[in-house]
Structure formats: C-alpha cells, structure tokens
Amino acid sequence: MPSGSEAVRLTEVSRQSGIHFRHEVDIGQFLAGRDDGHLTKWFESISASVSVVDINGDGWPDIFFPSQKPSAKSRLYINNRDGTFREAAEEYGLADLDGPTRVAFFDCDNSGKPAALVFNHQSAVLYTRGSRGKYRVHQILDTGSGEFTGGVNVLDLNGDGLLDVVVADSGLADLPNSMVDSDGGKSVEAFRGVGGCHFVRDDSILPANKPSHTHAIGVGDLRGRARQDLWIASDFGDDKVFLDEGGKYRDGSDRIGRTLSNTGMTAEIAHLEPFKNPVVFVGHAYQPGYFVGGNALWTYENGRFIDAARRLGVDRCGWTWGAKFADLNNDGLLDLVSINGFISRTSSGAPEGYWFKFATIVSGPRFLSGQSSEWPPFLAQSRFTEPQRGCVFMNTGSGFVDVAEQIDFDPHRHEGRGLAVIDFMNDGRLGLVAANQDQPPDLYRNDTPRRGGWIGFKLVGIKSNRDAIGAAVSLTLDDGRVLRRDNYPFNGYASQSDERIHFGLGRRRPTKVSIRWPSGIQESFAAPAPGRYYTVVEGHGPTKEAR
Amino acid sequence: MSPSVTFAVPTWKDVRIWLALVYGVFVFHALTFVGFGRTWPQLLASVAAGGFFDFVFNKWKYDRWIFPMSGMLSAVGPFLMIDSVRLGYFVLIAFLAVGSKFFFRWNGRHVFNPNTFGMLVAAIAFSGGMTPNPDRWGGSFEWTLIVFVSGAAIAWKADRWATAVSYYWSFFVGCLIRSAITGAPVLVYAGVMIGPMFQLICFFLITDPKTSPRDRRWQVAFGAAVALLDNLFRFYEMRLSIYIALSAATLLYAVVDNYTGDARASDPWREKELTLAYDA
C-alpha cells in the first residue's frame, strides 16, 4: 500500500499559477484607540481565510481570498483550466468588501448561483448576484455586536431544503482572562434560511450555550445516527458538542472525554477507518515546555468522545490552525494535512520570549491576565519562536506518519490559517490552498505519481438544498470495503473546500455508490468507471460526466 | 540479626493526615473541572507509583515495612502540577521524587525536596512530553484563597510559616526590582503571586520541613534565597525558574546545615515512625 514521502508530492505553485494576492491587516477602526500593541497582535491573528467555489459553474474550482484591511482588495481567482488562474474580483464585485475575514459561498435560494456570506469583524453581510453578474448587498444578518469572526458553517439544520448558517464569533473584543475557562467570547448562534436568500436568527434551534472564543464549527454525523451534530472548537475554554435530535440540538459536551486539549482551533471531520463513526480533528498548539497536549482526534465510542490523536500519531505538530483530511495519494486512505503558524506578527529578527512572558501573565488571576494594559510593553515586540512547518500526516492504515519535511511541504514557513482542499487540475489528485496571515497564500499542486485510481461526484440537490450540503456518499469497492464521505465543505478552519466528493481507490474498483441526501432520499447505483468526476442529480443517479 | 519491622499507621496527630484531606479537595477540583485536564488514571498511576516506590525503597534500603503514605502523598503534587497525556511521566516523576529521598542524602537526611527534584529532572529531560503548567487553575481567585488558607495552616502546623512569609515578601521585592529595571508594571511580575500555583509552591514545596531550615533566622534566609534565585532566573526567562531556584536553595542549605547542624538540632530526620514530615 503506498504511503509516506515516496507516495506524495505537493508543489507550491501560487505565483506561477498567477496568484499574486497578499493578505493584509488593519483593525485600527475596531480598536478605537485601545491598541496597546497586544490587542492587534492577538485580535488580528485570525482573519486569513480562503474559499474554494466554482463561481462560474464551469466545473473547475475557483479561489477567493479575502483581505481584512478595508482599503485592500480581496481577490477572486478564476480557474483557467490549465493550472493557472486569472484575477476577477472586480468583475464579480467582490474586490471591496469592507474588511472581510470569512466568506461562505453557497446556494441560498437553490438558484444555481452561489451567494456570498461575508463576515468582517463586526457584521455579516449576504451578497447575491445581480443581473449583471456582480455581487451586491442582499441582507445584513443580525449577529449582535459581532466580535471578531470565529467559526462559521452552513448546513440545512431543519431539513427544509434551505441552507442555514451557524456562527460563533471568537469574541476577542476583550482579551481572554483565562487559558482554560475564560469568561469572554460569544455564544453560538443559528440563522435559519426562510427562502429568497433571507435569514432570520432562530434561538430555538441550538441549546443555550455559554459564550466561548470559538474558532471553528464542524458538522458531522458524529454518532452514526444520520444526524448533523456540531462540534464547537474554542480557545481559552472547553470545546462543545451539540447533538442533533432531529432539527433541535442539545448540549452533549459532558460526553467529551478529558485531555489536555479540550480547547482548539480547528474542527475537521471525516470518516476514518477503522473507526465506526466519523472522527473530529481539533488542532491545538504543541510547544515543548509549555503546551504538551497537542492536537486531539475525537471519536465517539460507547457514548463518549475519546481522544485518539496520540494513538494515531497526529497529536504533535506545532501550533495547528487549518487542517483537512484528503486522500493525497489516492490509496483509499484519508491523509491529514495541517498548516501552522504563531501569532507573532513580528519579524523573525525580534527576540523570542513570548512564551515565557505569556505563561507568566496567565499564571496570575483572571482580573490581571485579561487586561492587556497590565502586560509588559515589550511583549508586543516579542515573537513566539521561529516559523514552523506544517504537517503532512500520511495514513499508513494503522496510523499516520508526518512526511512534511521529506517532501518540503510549506517551504516558506508561512503563518498558516485557513486550509482548503481543491482539485484545481481536475485530475483527481487533490491539491491544497492555504491562506496565510499577513502573507501571500500557498497553492499546492498535487504532483503525486499516479498510484491509485479515483472517482469523484458533484452532487446536485433537488428536494435537498442544491449544494447537497449534508449528503453522505458511500462507495463500495470490489474487496467489500465501504468508503464514506460527507459533504460539509465548511469544516476545518477558516476555509471552504472543493465541494465535490472525492474517493481514492488504490488498486480497487468501485462497484456501488449509495447516497443519502439531506432530504432523506436514499439512492444507490452501480459505480461508473473511475478516473472522472460525475454529476449526480438527486434521485436521478449519475446523469453526466462533470468533465 | 533480624530485620527491624516498623509499620506505622498514621494517626490524627500526623500532619500528613491533614495534608491528605487538603489534597483531596484539590484533587476533586482537578478531576471535575474540565479545564484542568486531569484523569482518574493519572491520579491512580501517580499515587500507586509513589506508594510503590516508597514501599520498595524502604524495604530495600532499610529493610523495613512501611505504609507508604509519604510516597503516596508526594505523588499528588506532580499530579496537580504537571501537564502530560502520558501516564508514564507521572510514574517517572514518582520514581525520581521518591528515589531522591533515598539516593541524595547528606547528614542523614535527603537534600532535595522530592517533588521539586522529580519534576525538574523530568521536565528538563522530557520537555516535549510533560511540563509544569500553572494555567490549569484557570486564574481562579477563589482557588487562590483556598490554597492559600489551607497551605498557610499546613505551614503553621509544620512550623515553617517564617519561610513562607519570607519567600512572599522577598519575591515581591524582586518583582519591584524587575519592574524598575524593565519599566513594566509591577503586576506583570507580581501577578503570579495571586495565582493558585504560587500558593502551592510556597506552602507545599518550599516549606517542606525535611528540606527547609528549622531555625527561624535560617527560615527567613532560606525563603529570601529562593525568592532571589527565582527572580533572577525569571529575569532571564528560565522556564523552570522556581524548581531550579528551590533545588539550588535546598542544596545550599544542606551545605550550611553541614556546619550549623540546624536541621539536626531536633533530629527530625531520624524519627523512626516517620510521622512528622511530609514531602509534598
């Protein structure tokens, strides 16, 4: 079975692909004179995100990068179908979005045209396509005060065929006053789609929940009950899990086991063999001498969420932000990629020492650690450590092996944040795109030699939401194995991934495809020939090849 | 010659009984407060290992059977103070802590505070797998008070309150000096004094009667010396400052004691029933 560095090759090609974007930051207007050096460093360390969307419907995924600096341009890169991109943000009216931090593209009215839900640090604005093809303001969502964008996900919460939105700001308007039990943050909120691309806040869907500094919201069938449970990854406080009880949610956080990493930055979810239920990968900092817990990999067993990260070898990888599962070498096993980055925002020439000073500060009482005015002034000019390399955990079938160094992944040691999966060559070899804080992005082309087969599906809902978000696809192989992928492109951290369902096959052939649509409709059909993407319309099987 | 058999069951007069009750409260918090990140297996591994090594070393070195309460209690300290997801580190620290009592001895007593020694050696050798972490108490002022009050009572009972007071004031003076040098607000440095971990260190490590002075004047000097070294190491951002400072101070005191005979004045180290001292 192919695995390890010899089996995967990721080449960073952003510039040669025509991507010349650089993420920029300016939050002076939000701080209103409160900036004492620490606030900027902390608050504005989380805005680099990336969205992969087929915005023109040509079957080739495009890329959108928001830039948080209000005067800077966000960039939309249209796929030229030859490995290069052309910039078209102005053409689509997406260049000037007033300090965007996260952008979720989805079909809110099942029209076939994705709307853009744009978050900045203070509000959420829904843009829809006008008659001339440009995006224009459609609705401003009532997200309350809005305090620094955190987790966002899109799904059909109530099964009515319209997509809904769950959002939880990181609530960093004031500094967290405890490393493990901060009083600050914001509660998770639900916005229900009511048709015509309008959303209303609905506090009856989610349970009342304590505010938290949320970074990511993951969706998955965590208990194997054909439900859409929510994992809330929060920093400075415990993660939460909301269990879907048929459109209504209850707090199931007491089922989360105990580890040193009950907090985190990422909520990436996937079906991983041999686990019966999907696993939740929650990224966390790992720094010898200070934070030794590292990442968590939660799996639901016997009514409890158990951390299996250490057992599988994915617990240690610096300060993990964006992370995605993807079968990079098409061997039928999901691999895991994470990108790292500190929150230094300081040149590498600055002295180290942030860890020690920071640890000293948070050793005190919360009324002191929550006041940055009591922090040493020179701390803001310190950096945590040298830039870190991300991790490429290759799945060996019995665990994971990090091959990042062998394959020279993350050659620029950028401060990674959002990470998305994208097959921009449409060749079945999954690439990656990383949004980096205050830095240019990275685009990884997958140049892995063809070792295994693959097959992919673009799902189109009819009774379900058109994006088929929430669909579960099972692929039976000729050896009896059943692979499973769920369509939640907003999982992970600060990213939207290629919405197409992708299966690596190894040397096996697929025999049967089964789809459980969000509407509840189940359909099965004989697997078509591998090596292509197929469009599957709800209730009609694979109607045509996507390319 | 038949081996001596000493099997002392602790009584209510034993300081360790009260220490165990206090620890019980802390352990309950650590196991029920999610942010603390502690588990029952960690507690059991710590206590079992501490007791086991204490029992075995006593039998091996002194050919006596004991109820290993000191070893078990010793192990609770690292359980509360150490972050690790690997049970083996808790066992290792228990081995180092208890072992140090038997292998690093001078003038009939052990030199280092066992837990300080165990945590320091393990934290240096395995910084990627375990580390002392003061954040787990969540910056709780309530727990600061609880640890302070209970710790002060224990220190009073053990007649080491002068050491604690000296360390407190000397540390604060050190913070003032650091503040004057760097220009940072004094609370940047002194804030840790209002954290639960500081109280744990002050009342449950530094005031260990077996490795700290008996005489009041020496207690004051000892507390000041620890604070001086601690501040110095913190100034240079040494990660394990208090553990290094305390280990250095106990070693220094052993040298002083060699000439003054302070610790041996009441011969507390040679009490056969081992009921007075605690090692947390």
Side-chain angles (χ1 to χ4, degrees):
Chain A
M1 184 174 292
S3 63
S5 59
E6 76 282 2
V8 64
R9 190 180 304 155
L10 297 171
T11 309
E12 204 287 299
V13 295
S14 57
R15 297 193 74 79
Q16 68 190 73
S17 295
I19 292 176
H20 300 284
F21 171 79
R22 181 187 177 96
H23 179 257
E24 293 182 85
V25 164
D26 179 7
I27 58 168
Q29 61 174 311
F30 302 119
L31 296 174
R34 291 192 301 142
D35 188 9
D36 51 15
H38 307 297
L39 296 177
T40 300
K41 190 171 188 131
W42 273 79
F43 296 170
E44 216 354 281
S45 61
I46 55 172
S47 63
S49 68
V50 58
S51 305
V52 172
V53 57
D54 182 6
I55 203 160
N56 53 6
D58 65 353
W60 293 75
D62 312 305
I63 306 172
F64 182 77
F65 295 106
S67 193
Q68 188 277 328
K69 186 177 181 180
S71 61
K73 304 285 187 187
S74 297
R75 293 300 184 201
L76 172 66
Y77 289 95
I78 301 294
N79 195 324
N80 288 330
R81 310 182 187 190
D82 60 359
T84 65
F85 295 81
R86 70 177 176 86
E87 207 287 309
E90 298 279 3
E91 179 186 328
Y92 282 81
L94 291 170
D96 299 294
L97 298 175
D98 193 22
T101 55
R102 308 271 188 278
V103 179
F105 291 93
F106 60 99
D107 197 337
C108 53
D109 58 358
N110 297 326
S111 64
K113 295 179 181 177
L117 181 56
V118 179
F119 293 83
N120 65 28
H121 281 322
Q122 290 186 312
S123 63
V125 181
L126 184 72
Y127 290 76
T128 53
R129 297 276 286 276
S131 56
R132 295 184 180 178
K134 285 200 172 187
Y135 281 85
R136 60 189 182 189
V137 174
H138 183 83
Q139 183 192 2
I140 299 175
L141 273 64
D142 175 22
T143 54
S145 58
E147 291 179 354
F148 291 86
T149 313
V152 178
N153 215 309
V154 178
L155 69 160
D156 184 359
L157 284 165
N158 51 5
D160 64 355
L162 296 169
L163 288 171
D164 312 301
V165 177
V166 284
V167 56
D169 289 347
S170 60
L172 287 170
D174 290 305
L175 283 174
N177 59 8
S178 166
M179 285 299 291
V180 294
D181 186 34
S182 176
D183 295 319
K186 295 271 287 181
S187 299
V188 187
E189 299 168 343
F191 290 86
R192 183 163 48 84
V194 294
C197 280
H198 275 84
F199 292 83
V200 295
R201 181 170 162 169
D202 190 337
D203 293 334
S204 69
I205 298 175
L206 302 179
N209 57 95
K210 181 189 172 199
S212 56
H213 302 283
T214 298
H215 282 309
I217 301 173
V219 188
D221 181 15
L222 302 183
R223 295 167 295 162
R225 298 181 183 180
R227 298 285 171 85
Q228 303 181 103
D229 302 319
L230 305 178
W231 190 281
I232 318 298
S234 303
D235 208 355
F236 310 108
D238 306 329
D239 284 2
K240 294 190 277 269
V241 61
F242 295 159
L243 303 176
D244 180 5
E245 300 295 344
K248 297 286 184 184
Y249 285 78
R250 67 182 174 84
D251 194 336
S253 306
D254 58 348
R255 299 189 182 191
I256 302 175
R258 196 66 66 87
T259 175
L260 294 177
S261 301
N262 280 78
T263 65
M265 269 57 83
T266 319
E268 167 66 355
I269 298 173
H271 289 266
L272 198 66
E273 296 178 278
F275 297 104
K276 177 185 172 189
N277 298 314
V279 297
V280 184
F281 178 80
V282 179
H284 199 283
Y286 172 76
Q287 175 72 18
Y290 293 96
F291 292 118
V292 295
N295 305 314
L297 187 76
W298 299 102
T299 174
Y300 192 73
E301 297 173 5
N302 302 317
R304 301 276 297 169
F305 290 96
I306 309 297
D307 179 17
R310 185 163 67 91
R311 176 155 53 100
L312 294 187
V314 295
D315 56 331
R316 296 180 176 187
C317 184
W319 191 329
T320 302
W321 291 86
K324 293 302 292 182
F325 283 105
D327 188 349
L328 296 175
N329 54 358
N330 286 335
D331 63 354
L333 300 169
L334 283 174
D335 310 301
L336 176 64
V337 181
S338 72
I339 55 174
N340 295 0
F342 292 91
I343 60 169
S344 297
R345 301 203 61 238
T346 304
S347 73
S348 60
E352 289 188 22
Y354 204 108
W355 280 112
F356 181 88
K357 297 181 183 78
F358 180 68
T360 301
I361 289 164
V362 298
S363 300
R366 56 179 64 206
F367 61 80
L368 285 178
S369 54
Q371 297 294 327
S372 65
S373 58
E374 302 298 338
W375 292 18
F378 42 79
L379 180 56
Q381 281 73 52
S382 303
R383 62 191 165 88
F384 276 92
T385 186
E386 293 298 330
Q388 290 185 334
R389 191 194 291 276
C391 288
V392 180
F393 293 110
M394 297 303 294
N395 191 334
T396 64
S398 58
F400 290 83
V401 176
D402 181 18
V403 300
E405 193 163 337
Q406 292 95 308
I407 68 171
D408 195 22
F409 178 69
D410 191 10
H412 310 301
R413 305 290 196 281
H414 281 144
E415 294 201 8
R417 292 297 184 268
L419 178 68
V421 176
I422 177 172
D423 182 3
F424 63 95
M425 303 297 289
N426 270 359
D427 61 359
R429 290 184 286 189
L430 297 179
L432 299 158
V433 56
N436 301 310
Q437 187 71 17
D438 230 5
Q439 292 171 332
D442 294 309
L443 177 67
Y444 294 99
R445 187 180 64 213
N446 190 330
D447 293 330
T448 303
R450 290 185 186 280
R451 299 287 291 270
W454 66 278
I455 191 168
F457 303 97
K458 174 177 169 51
L459 307 181
V460 179
I462 299 296
K463 188 179 178 185
S464 306
N465 67 83
R466 186 181 172 89
D467 289 337
I469 291 175
V473 183
S474 299
L475 184 74
T476 305
L477 305 181
D478 59 3
D479 62 355
R481 278 175 69 202
V482 178
L483 308 179
R484 164 108 177 249
R485 306 280 185 269
D486 295 347
N487 186 27
Y488 292 110
F490 298 93
N491 282 354
Y493 173 79
S495 67
Q496 175 177 357
S497 286
D498 198 327
E499 65 179 353
R500 294 173 296 182
I501 300 291
H502 172 275
F503 292 96
L505 302 173
R507 300 180 187 280
R508 299 296 176 185
R509 290 191 63 80
T511 59
K512 179 182 161 188
V513 180
S514 300
I515 302 175
R516 190 187 72 235
W517 295 86
S519 63
I521 291 176
Q522 307 227 19
E523 67 176 300
S524 299
F525 49 85
R532 289 186 177 280
Y533 285 105
Y534 295 88
T535 297
V536 183
V537 179
E538 184 175 9
H540 295 83
T543 55
K544 63 176 181 178
E545 294 179 3
R547 59 175 277 263
Chain B
M1 184 173 153
S2 61
S4 64
V5 177
T6 304
F7 196 96
V9 177
T11 69
W12 286 106
K13 294 180 180 176
D14 191 333
V15 174
R16 296 176 304 172
I17 293 292
W18 299 100
L19 194 65
L21 291 175
V22 170
Y23 273 172
V25 176
F26 300 166
V27 166
F28 176 79
H29 176 63
L31 290 172
T32 54
F33 175 47
V34 176
F36 221 108
R38 296 295 187 271
T39 63
W40 277 101
Q42 289 172 344
L43 176 65
L44 295 175
S46 297
V47 173
F52 173 77
F53 291 124
D54 198 18
F55 184 84
V56 168
F57 285 141
N58 263 289
K59 181 70 180 84
W60 171 66
K61 188 140 189 181
Y62 302 121
D63 195 19
R64 64 188 175 193
W65 303 92
I66 63 151
F67 180 74
M69 190 165 180
S70 288
M72 294 163 71
L73 276 179
S74 284
V76 177
F79 167 76
L80 292 169
M81 302 170 83
I82 290 296
D83 265 10
S84 182
V85 293
R86 290 165 165 80
L87 290 181
Y89 287 123
F90 291 95
V91 175
L92 172 67
I93 293 170
F95 170 78
L96 293 169
V98 176
S100 73
K101 293 199 301 184
F102 293 87
F103 296 108
F104 296 100
R105 302 183 68 83
W106 195 7
N107 288 325
R109 68 180 184 91
H110 54 270
V111 174
F112 298 108
N113 171 270
N115 278 345
T116 304
F117 179 84
M119 289 189 288
L120 178 61
V121 172
I124 291 172
F126 303 101
S127 64
M130 56 81 62
T131 185
N133 189 348
D135 308 339
R136 294 292 165 188
W137 296 84
S140 163
F141 188 65
E142 294 80 0
W143 275 102
T144 297
L145 276 179
I146 292 170
V147 180
F148 176 86
V149 170
S150 56
I154 294 285
W156 181 271
K157 181 98 176 165
D159 195 22
R160 291 297 184 272
W161 59 269
T163 303
V165 171
S166 172
Y167 176 68
Y168 249 98
W169 280 106
S170 301
F171 189 89
F172 184 69
V173 170
C175 293
L176 291 173
I177 295 171
R178 280 194 285 158
S179 174
I181 294 173
T182 64
V186 68
L187 280 177
V188 165
Y189 305 116
V192 297
M193 298 178 69
I194 322 173
M197 191 74 151
F198 191 89
Q199 321 311 317
L200 266 183
I201 289 167
C202 180
F203 295 115
F204 295 88
L205 286 184
I206 294 175
T207 54
D208 171 13
K210 280 198 171 184
T211 54
S212 64
R214 180 191 60 83
D215 181 85
R216 290 276 155 72
R217 289 168 299 178
W218 283 113
Q219 283 191 39
V220 172
F222 182 79
V226 176
L228 173 71
L229 291 171
D230 192 7
N231 270 283
L232 185 66
F233 296 150
R234 285 174 188 263
F235 184 79
Y236 288 104
E237 300 185 348
M238 292 175 67
R239 185 171 58 88
L240 301 164
S241 60
I242 180 58
Y243 304 95
I244 302 171
L246 182 53
S247 295
T250 50
L251 184 60
L252 190 64
Y253 171 62
V255 175
V256 171
D257 177 48
N258 187 50
Y259 297 101
T260 64
D262 169 70
R264 285 163 285 165
S266 62
D267 198 20
W269 323 113
R270 295 176 181 174
E271 293 181 42
K272 292 180 180 177
E273 296 188 350
L274 299 171
T275 55
L276 177 65
Y278 64 92
D279 306 307

